[in-house]
Each structure stands twice: as structure tokens, then as C-alpha cells.
Amino acid sequence: MESIRLYFKYIKLNIESQLQYKASFIMMSVGHFLITFIEFLGIWVLFERFGNIRGFTFEEAALFYGIVHIAFAITEGWTRGFDIFPRLVRSGDFDRILLRPRTTVLQILGHDFQIMRIGRLFQGLVVLIWAVFKLNIRWTLGKTLLLIGSILGGNFLFSGLIVLQATLSFWSVQSLEIVNSFTYGGVQAAQYPISIYKPWFRKILIYIIPLATVNYFPALNILEKSQLFNYPIWLGWISPLIGLVFFIFSLLVWQLGVRYYTSTGS
Amino acid sequence: MKAFLSIIKIRFNLLLQYRIAAFAGAVTQFFFGTIMVMVLYGFYSSSGVETPINYKSAITYIWIGQAMLGMLPWNGDSEIQNLIRTGNVTYELIRPMNLYNYWFARAFALRTAPTLLRSIPLFIIALLLPKDYSMELPLNTLAFIGWIVATFGALLISCTITNIINITTLYSISGDGIQRLLSSIVTLFSGMIVPLPLFPDKLKQLLNYLPFSGLVDIPARFFTGEILINQLPKYFLFQCSWALVIYIIGQWILNRKIKDLIVQGG
């Protein structure tokens, strides 16, 4: 309980310090908004040309896009400490963290909290709201909760990927650009319904990096399309939980990594 | 002129040393290219609309864009930007040569050496992929020559835009926001994310006049045979004119800025 209070104190300090440079914060947020907006234009262009992708309309694709990008924006915000973790190892700052009487996860999460990612979050939100208005979904309480759950599940899944990526730096202090492509590539891949991909790639997105479970299955339920693709309805209702399971799994791997850690000595 | 040529040579040889980074870059580009190709596959196979460019040409276009990514002006020269941040840029002013041209020579090496390392393995892989994903070689040597010449034109535009990014660092210290915004404009409007022929017709007409189309679209369309070799003088002139315009603008802004440059002490 006390740890949680401490975490929020870390966050508060972080936010306050970032808000000291207000102009910079606003410009960076607007920048992030525009950058993701330009990326979204690319998707619009393709729908404008082809009309649909395997029976999914632009509005439906926008729902997938919104869920993934909001989830990823939250991840980018609160797991920034793990994202820059190789730097902490190289500089020896991780040794200091190990000395303190708190868990490593808490301290690294509290190390940095990027609020300017609000630009991406806001853009995802705009797209999601637009999609919701366009789609004529019959909203129920269950569906609303599923939407929120899907975003949270996605957030935990991406966070898990970032923790795993950080764990790798216990074995190699080289910056691991390749692993980065799993998170960013994952965002790219999951912003479309996975049914557009070939079966082998679909299997990767279901069983190995289970992005489909936090995005595709719940979104099909919200759109009431799961029968069309022969998936049982219950699957969509519980699948966002896989994101949480993945996150817990990645924390266990992390603990294992910490045990094997030897300092660089710098 | 001799001085600038030797700068290019020295920087080029130096940058060729970063083989691991180039390998990591090639893997990342391969990853993203594969996702883009699979998305295009989904679009092409789900609707029978007439497209201005066929599937094979479109994915060849995508692979060329990915392979030549290093040549796009998506970032500035990090060493120069660091000099500006630390104030050491004053040493640069002492050099008995035109600062803009010196930076231009560095940009030339920055845009060629890493691209050479990255593009060759990526081209080989992209040619060897299964039929649905692989790129195609040009139909004849003339198309290949057209591609080489247009790529040189693209390089000139790219170096002048790289210099603009370097110069903006003088104005905003961090330069991060403008750089990222510019890089996402460059990647979308050059055709790297979605081939320009697939854009809506009106937008396409506009984009064809902008310098960005000279970066990816024109070389790629020579490669795939969309533009015939007899059009080469026209397109190459277009690229050179833009390069010249941006060159003059860059020179002008830099010279003006140097006159009232304030270096923070320390």
C-alpha cells in the first residue's frame, strides 16, 4: 500500500518537473498529435482507394486503430523508465536502484513518466470517438466495459513487451534496436484487423505476441462480427485478460534477469 | 571543391564502419516492410477496383522505399546537432570554408554510406522472398539506369533537407519536435508508407509538385517501369530544381542566423 503511495509521489514529481517547461510541453504534445495524425492519413489513403479491406470498412478499422494507439500511448507514458533501461545499466544507475529498500519495478516505473505522450493518446481518442459515432454500435454496459478492458489489456501487453525488452539488456548492454521493432511493428500490425493477414502471421499475433487478444477478438464482439469469423463469443469477452497475464509473465522474467545481473562497473 | 570531396571521402569511410548498426537497421526495415506488404496484400486481394499501379509494382515500390530509408532526410546530422547544443558550433565557424557547404558534404556522406550497407542485404532478401511478398527486378537495363539517375536526384534533395533540419536546431536547441514532425511528413508525402500512385487523384497532383515526391516516388516509378526512360530529363530536372531551391533557402537562412548567433558560455 505504501509502495503505491510512493509510486504516485514519484509520478507527481515527474509531472510537475515536466510542466515547468510549459511551452516545450505543449509543442511536443502538439507534435506527437500531428505525427500520429499524419500516420493515420496513410490509412485513410488506402481506404479511399480500395474501399474496404476484407470486408472491414474505414470506420471499423478506425476502431481497431483507436484501441491500439490509446493503449500504446498509455504504455509509452508509464513504462518510459523500462524503455530507457539500457541507459540506466550502462551508466551504473541501476546499482543505486538495487541498493534502495524498494522493488526495482517500482523505482524504474517511477523513474520517468512521459506526459507529452498525451499527443498520441489524444489522437487515438479522437479517432476512436469518431469511429464510435460513425458505426451505430448498439452500446451496452458490457460492451463499454469490454472497450475499456481492451484498451487496458493492450496497455499491459505493450508494457510487458517493453519490460521484456529491458530485461534483455541484462545480457547485452548494446541498444537493441531490433527488439524495438516488435513493439512498434506490433502497433503497426494490430491497427488493422488481423483477419487481413495470412494464417502464419495471424498465428504469431494470437499465440506468440498475443496482440489479437487485446484488440481483434474484443473489437469483433463490439462490432458483433465474431460469428462471421467463426470465433466463439466468450473468447472476446475474456481475451483482454491475456494482456495482464502477459505483463505478469514479463515481470517474472524480469525478476529472473535481476538475479543474473552483474554490474558494468562504471 | 577538393576540400569538400575529401570531407565526403573521410566521413564516408568512417560511416562504413558501423556495420552492426546497419545490420540492425536492415532487420528493422525488413520487419516493417513485411507488415506493409501484407497490409497491401490484404487491400489488393479484397477489392477488385481498378488501381493505377498493380500489386507487384506496389510492393516493389515499398521494398525500394524500405531499402533506401537511410537516404531519406528523416533525421539531422547528430554530431552537428550536438555541437549546436553544447555551443561547440563556434569551432565550426572558424573553419576557412563555407559552413553550409561543409555540412552539405557531411550530409552527402551521411545519406550514402549507411544506405549502401543497409540496402544491399535488404534488396537480396526482398528478391528471394516467396512470390506474394517479393520485389521484382526492372524489366530492362534502361529502367535500371533511370532508377540510378533518379536516385542521385533524390540524394541531392535529401541532403538539402537534412541541412534544413541541422539549421532548425540553431533555432530551437532541442530540434526534436520539428525533426520528428518533418520526418513523418517526409515519410508519408514521399510515398514511403503508401505508394503515391495510390493517393486520391487531387492530392496526388499536389504531391507530385512537392519536393518529397522526388525522394522515393520518382526513383521507384522508374524502377518499376511506370515512368519510361524518355521522361528522365524532365524528372531529373524537377529533382535538381527543388534541390537548388532548398539549397538556396538553406544557405540564406544559415548565413542570416550566423550573423546574430549567440553562443551560451560554458
Side-chain angles (χ1 to χ4, degrees):
Chain A
M1 203 57 223
E2 201 209 345
S3 303
I4 293 171
R5 207 177 309 137
L6 183 68
Y7 172 71
F8 279 106
K9 201 164 177 185
Y10 271 135
I11 302 284
K12 197 171 147 246
L13 285 172
N14 250 312
I15 292 178
E16 275 173 5
S17 72
Q18 283 173 58
L19 284 181
Q20 290 299 307
Y21 302 94
K22 273 210 189 61
S24 156
F25 163 70
I26 292 168
M27 268 174 52
M28 285 302 264
S29 305
V30 172
H32 270 282
F33 179 86
L34 289 175
I35 289 162
T36 38
F37 182 74
I38 291 170
E39 283 169 9
F40 186 62
L41 266 184
I43 298 177
W44 171 77
V45 163
L46 285 168
F47 276 97
E48 193 65 14
R49 175 65 62 190
F50 292 95
N52 72 87
I53 186 160
R54 296 278 162 95
F56 285 94
T57 62
F58 181 49
E59 289 83 0
E60 286 165 340
L63 183 74
F64 287 87
Y65 178 97
I67 293 174
V68 166
H69 279 262
I70 294 172
F72 189 59
I74 301 172
T75 297
E76 277 192 313
W78 77 300
T79 60
R80 175 77 181 159
F82 280 100
D83 203 18
I84 58 166
F85 183 70
R87 252 187 265 168
L88 296 182
V89 171
R90 239 174 295 150
S91 64
D93 278 335
F94 185 58
D95 296 17
R96 275 199 288 171
I97 287 177
L98 280 173
L99 288 174
R100 295 187 194 128
R102 286 281 183 269
T103 65
T104 51
V105 175
L106 174 85
Q107 292 184 68
I108 295 169
L109 283 178
H111 183 81
D112 201 344
F113 186 91
Q114 293 264 308
I115 42 167
M116 67 188 185
R117 303 295 154 145
I118 207 161
R120 185 196 282 271
L121 182 91
F122 192 65
Q123 198 266 346
L125 210 58
V126 169
V127 172
L128 184 71
I129 291 171
W130 177 81
V132 163
F133 271 101
K134 277 276 178 177
L135 277 171
N136 292 323
I137 298 168
R138 282 183 291 133
W139 284 103
T140 58
L141 179 67
K143 278 187 183 177
T144 317
L145 289 176
L146 186 59
L147 182 67
I148 296 168
S150 157
I151 290 171
L152 289 178
N155 162 45
F156 279 118
L157 182 59
F158 284 124
S159 303
L161 281 174
I162 291 196
V163 171
L164 286 180
Q165 182 181 324
T167 309
L168 278 178
S169 54
F170 286 125
W171 286 278
S172 155
V173 278
Q174 285 286 322
S175 69
L176 296 145
E177 196 194 340
I178 298 174
V179 190
N180 245 328
S181 48
F182 282 104
T183 37
Y184 285 97
V187 174
Q188 288 285 322
Q191 65 193 14
Y192 290 98
I194 61 155
S195 51
I196 70 164
Y197 300 118
K198 293 205 168 182
W200 67 270
F201 192 64
R202 246 182 271 165
K203 285 191 187 110
I204 290 179
L205 290 177
I206 296 174
Y207 300 112
I208 298 174
I209 305 173
L211 280 164
T213 62
V214 294
N215 182 23
Y216 181 66
F217 296 128
L220 281 191
N221 271 17
I222 292 172
L223 296 169
E224 293 181 20
K225 272 194 159 182
S226 37
Q227 282 96 336
L228 289 178
F229 294 90
N230 287 323
Y231 291 114
I233 292 179
W234 59 264
L235 188 66
W237 289 104
I238 59 157
S239 67
L241 281 174
I242 307 241
L244 191 62
V245 173
F246 190 85
F247 184 62
I248 293 167
F249 165 75
S250 72
L251 287 182
L252 291 176
V253 177
W254 166 261
Q255 301 291 357
L256 204 73
V258 173
R259 220 180 298 152
Y260 281 97
Y261 171 73
T262 41
S263 171
T264 53
S266 48
Chain B
M1 196 59 200
K2 221 177 134 200
F4 294 116
L5 283 179
S6 46
I7 288 166
I8 293 177
K9 216 177 119 199
I10 292 166
R11 295 290 306 169
F12 189 84
N13 286 331
L14 182 83
L15 288 166
L16 278 186
Q17 303 301 315
Y18 295 102
R19 299 211 182 93
I20 303 279
F23 172 74
V27 172
T28 313
Q29 251 57 75
F30 172 70
F31 208 81
F32 276 91
T34 310
I35 293 174
M36 285 175 182
V37 166
M38 286 193 291
V39 169
L40 275 186
Y41 180 83
F43 274 110
Y44 270 94
S45 58
S46 60
S47 86
V49 291
E50 275 286 306
T51 46
I53 175 172
N54 65 37
Y55 175 65
K56 263 301 189 187
S57 299
I59 60 171
T60 302
Y61 187 122
I62 289 286
W63 282 122
I64 293 172
Q66 287 299 312
M68 306 304 278
L69 176 81
M71 217 186 75
L72 281 186
W74 58 280
N75 62 355
D77 187 328
S78 57
E79 282 180 33
I80 292 175
Q81 289 176 319
N82 271 331
L83 288 179
I84 294 171
R85 258 167 237 146
T86 55
N88 286 338
V89 70
T90 38
Y91 296 125
E92 304 273 287
L93 298 175
I94 304 169
R95 288 179 210 276
M97 50 172 75
N98 179 306
L99 185 61
Y100 183 94
N101 289 341
Y102 167 58
W103 285 1
F104 188 86
R106 286 181 58 111
F108 196 89
L110 178 73
R111 291 292 164 234
T112 45
T115 309
L116 208 64
L117 288 176
R118 278 183 185 206
S119 61
I120 293 169
L122 205 62
F123 274 131
I124 293 171
I125 297 169
L127 283 166
L128 295 177
L129 285 172
K131 194 172 73 44
D132 285 343
Y133 311 106
S134 66
M135 68 181 282
E136 272 180 335
L137 284 172
L139 285 174
N140 50 45
T141 32
L142 284 176
F144 189 73
I145 293 166
W147 175 63
I148 297 280
V149 175
T151 300
F152 184 72
L155 181 62
L156 294 180
I157 298 180
S158 174
C159 292
T160 53
I161 298 182
T162 304
N163 250 1
I164 295 279
I165 298 177
N166 290 337
I167 295 166
T168 53
T169 317
L170 280 171
Y171 285 86
S172 74
I173 305 296
S174 92
D176 225 32
I178 300 172
Q179 181 177 315
R180 291 197 51 184
L181 192 58
L182 197 66
S183 78
S184 59
I185 291 175
V186 165
T187 43
L188 183 66
F189 290 172
S190 63
M192 219 196 80
I193 297 179
V194 178
L196 286 198
L198 293 176
F199 273 64
D201 296 330
K202 282 214 178 95
L203 194 57
K204 189 161 61 184
Q205 276 167 6
L206 174 72
L207 290 178
N208 281 340
Y209 288 110
L210 295 181
F212 310 113
S213 69
L215 291 167
V216 177
D217 182 62
I218 293 176
R221 283 197 290 149
F222 272 108
F223 194 95
T224 58
E226 310 282 313
I227 311 179
L228 296 174
I229 189 79
N230 58 11
Q231 302 276 332
L232 186 60
K234 187 181 110 189
Y235 280 97
F236 189 62
L237 189 71
F238 170 81
Q239 290 176 310
C240 290
S241 323
W242 263 119
L244 188 68
V245 169
I246 306 169
Y247 177 90
I248 293 169
I249 295 173
Q251 273 275 12
W252 182 71
I253 307 178
L254 184 63
N255 289 337
R256 233 182 59 142
K257 183 67 189 169
I258 286 174
K259 271 187 206 135
D260 55 28
L261 191 68
I262 299 166
V263 177
Q264 294 166 335

